[in-house]
Amino acid sequence: MANATIFDRLKQDHDVHREMFAKMADAKDDADTLKKLFDQFKIEVSAHAAAEEETLYATMLSRPDLRENAQHSVSEHKEIDDYLEELDELKFDGEAWRKKFAEMKKRYLHHIEEEEEEMFPAAAKELTADEEKKLAATFAKRKPAELARAEADS
């Protein structure tokens, strides 16, 4: 992905997240595996969101035509983070946890679909190809740092 744009990198992460949801669905009857997958998901999504906010969203917030989309997505990141905190407070894999997890999954899938179908195309119209590549390179550096931070916090 040497010439990847920020949108390519973010979509690649989204695909990983969708795959993680599928693996969690497959593991629904194996609590130990589900717990490991869910813990990995929390770390991955937290790191993704932080790196995305520090790269693409920071750039979008500085541009009046893109600011509203970025603010909306940042608020959705906060909503997902709130869901993850609520899930941590519930008995893992209990009825309430499963219900809250299903809500979070629905909201997260909506969020990434909205980004890919609406926000990314709008941002792509405003950013140059060079800017998209520079943001991708910055994201590629930030994400591992955010993964390390998220793992340390978990």
Side-chain angles (χ1 to χ4, degrees):
M1 289 198 108
N3 289 322
T5 69
I6 186 64
F7 308 113
D8 297 328
R9 294 220 181 254
L10 295 173
K11 172 85 167 62
Q12 183 180 41
D13 273 9
H14 292 170
D15 290 343
V16 168
H17 302 163
R18 288 180 185 102
E19 188 177 311
M20 293 176 92
F21 278 131
K23 287 179 181 177
M24 284 186 272
D26 289 344
K28 69 181 185 321
D29 295 327
D30 179 352
D32 289 341
T33 301
L34 180 60
K35 176 76 170 128
K36 287 177 188 163
L37 290 167
F38 178 67
D39 289 345
Q40 289 173 337
F41 175 80
K42 288 189 306 186
I43 290 167
E44 169 60 31
V45 167
S46 296
H48 167 86
E52 183 176 40
E53 289 175 11
E54 293 169 16
T55 56
L56 180 61
Y57 291 178
T59 300
M60 291 176 67
L61 287 167
S62 71
R63 301 193 179 191
D65 291 348
L66 299 174
R67 188 171 297 134
E68 188 176 324
N69 279 341
Q71 289 169 334
H72 175 76
S73 286
V74 167
S75 72
E76 287 186 344
H77 281 188
K78 172 69 172 110
E79 180 183 10
I80 299 303
D81 191 50
D82 289 346
Y83 270 113
L84 294 173
E85 284 182 24
E86 288 177 49
L87 284 162
D88 280 341
E89 294 171 8
L90 296 172
K91 178 182 177 288
F92 177 76
D93 204 26
E95 187 176 332
W97 187 93
R98 284 186 179 263
K99 183 177 181 199
K100 187 62 66 178
F101 176 81
E103 290 174 21
M104 182 275 302
K105 178 181 175 181
K106 181 178 179 182
R107 289 296 300 138
Y108 186 72
L109 291 173
H110 166 79
H111 166 72
I112 62 177
E113 180 180 309
E114 192 173 62
E115 281 187 331
E116 292 172 1
E117 293 180 7
E118 297 172 25
M119 191 185 83
F120 293 174
K125 288 179 185 174
E126 300 290 324
L127 300 173
T128 66
D130 190 48
E131 286 174 312
E132 290 179 28
K133 288 177 186 167
K134 284 180 182 174
L135 286 170
T138 303
F139 181 84
K141 291 176 186 165
R142 289 299 316 143
K143 176 100 183 277
E146 292 298 335
L147 277 170
R149 184 195 53 74
E151 287 172 353
D153 289 348
S154 67

